[in-house]
Amino acid sequence: MIQQVMSVTRSGVGMWAIAAADFGAELELVEVPEPVAGPNELKVRLFAASVNPFDRKVVNGMLRSSAPHQFPLVPGTDGAGEVEGSGERIFGTFFHRPVGGGTYAEYVTVPAGNALVPLPDDMDPAVAAALPTAGMTALQLVESLGTAESVLIVGASGGVGSFAVQIARAAGKRVIPIGRGDSLVEADALIDLVSADRSSFEANARYAPLAFNTNYVSADQAQNFSMKGSRETLVRLASMVQAGDLEVPIARRVPLREATDVFAGHKPGKTVIIM
């Protein structure tokens, strides 16, 4: 287990976080130093952070050969909070290097150039925290479909899938939501959010001439999809939520000190950690 130790920073303050002691380790509640913002960084007191499949992959070591890490490794890419010093309320993506200073914590530092935008006064911080990665991925996936009139969405009940179903329907496309193990039918396009290997994806891709996957690198580069975060896209998504055109599928809200099990299971919708 991670030893829970109060370390002292220059401000002499510690904070609670959910972290892993090593790659592949279980998440635990730990007390660690509050981060100190460096040049061109913001220090943010978090209100909420959302859980993404990417977070689990980071803990399992997917970036161990391509990026420096710090331990205990605090996962978490998305969040909403208040900038220390200015009081500005913001939300967006907080991923930065070294990996391990994520949003499953009371405070986080983040490069000022990250995809971060003002948190609307009328938006629940938990809703805002659940929006960035899943929402931007879904929006960009649907826009990649072009003029396709029908789309199969495999994994439609998850965070990205729930957003993609709504956005595709709003774009006038016929959406065929598919759960794990359901039979597929033919369509103009396929968004596969579930397949973890080439063979399973290619088995699904037989049903649509235009296919995208989000979980592994395909030999066909046209099928690979990688989300590109931007402030413009976050603003668009927030406007859609405010207008009532997009519902954020929060399935579970869990207090930070009870959040060690957030990687367990595959429940529909988004899990949000409340600080």
Side-chain angles (χ1 to χ4, degrees), residues 91-127:
F91 78 100
T93 58
F94 289 77
F95 183 78
H96 64 282
R97 301 185 184 198
V99 178
T103 55
Y104 295 11
E106 293 177 309
Y107 289 87
V108 67
T109 57
V110 58
N114 268 38
L116 301 163
V117 296
L119 173 64
D121 292 337
D122 59 349
M123 184 173 289
D124 180 351
V127 169

Side-chain angles (χ1 to χ4, degrees), residues 5-272:
V5 177
M6 174 75 79
S7 298
V8 179
T9 66
R10 285 174 289 184
S11 61
V13 179
M15 68 172 184
W16 290 107
I18 299 296
D22 201 350
F23 294 121
E26 296 294 323
L27 296 181
E28 297 185 73
L29 177 68
V30 297
E31 198 167 19
V32 295
E34 279 188 20
V36 176
N40 299 314
E41 286 188 334
L42 306 174
K43 180 178 177 180
V44 179
R45 178 175 66 86
L46 288 162
F47 303 143
S50 68
V51 178
N52 292 294
F54 176 76
D55 303 337
R56 184 203 296 259
K57 293 176 183 178
V58 167
V59 170
N60 287 341
M62 72 172 293
L63 301 177
R64 66 192 305 168
S65 63
S66 60
H69 288 66
Q70 64 183 44
F71 293 91
L73 191 159
V74 179
T77 300
D78 296 343
E82 181 178 280
V83 179
E84 190 173 74
S86 72
E88 182 183 12
R89 289 157 49 95
I90 62 173
F91 78 100
T93 58
F94 289 77
F95 183 78
H96 64 282
R97 301 185 184 198
V99 178
T103 55
Y104 295 11
E106 293 177 309
Y107 289 87
V108 67
T109 57
V110 58
N114 268 38
L116 301 163
V117 296
L119 173 64
D121 292 337
D122 59 349
M123 184 173 289
D124 180 351
V127 169
L131 195 56
T133 295
M136 288 193 290
T137 299
L139 180 59
Q140 292 171 17
L141 274 166
V142 172
E143 291 180 339
S144 298
L145 302 180
T147 60
E149 296 181 356
S150 61
V151 55
L152 285 163
I153 300 179
V154 184
S157 65
V160 175
S162 298
F163 284 124
V165 167
Q166 297 179 70
I167 295 169
R169 285 176 174 161
K173 301 184 186 300
R174 182 170 67 91
V175 178
I176 306 164
I178 302 294
R180 291 175 182 269
D182 291 348
S183 298
L184 275 67
V185 297
E186 292 186 356
D188 298 327
L190 167 76
I191 294 174
D192 188 338
L193 306 167
V194 173
S195 296
D197 57 54
R198 180 173 179 173
S199 61
S200 56
F201 170 70
E202 290 183 346
N204 291 340
R206 293 177 300 170
Y207 292 88
L210 179 64
F212 296 96
N213 80 88
T214 59
N215 286 337
Y216 81 102
V217 177
S218 169
D220 182 351
Q221 292 300 314
Q223 296 175 339
N224 297 322
F225 179 84
S226 178
M227 187 272 287
K228 300 175 178 63
S230 74
R231 295 178 181 180
E232 177 198 12
T233 307
L234 283 177
V235 170
R236 287 176 59 193
L237 289 167
S239 296
M240 293 167 69
V241 173
Q242 289 177 294
D245 297 328
L246 182 64
E247 181 179 352
V248 178
I250 297 178
R252 181 187 179 202
R253 300 177 186 231
V254 55
L256 176 67
R257 297 195 186 195
E258 301 173 14
T260 56
D261 68 342
V262 292
F263 288 167
H266 296 281
K267 297 180 180 178
K270 295 285 294 181
T271 295
V272 178

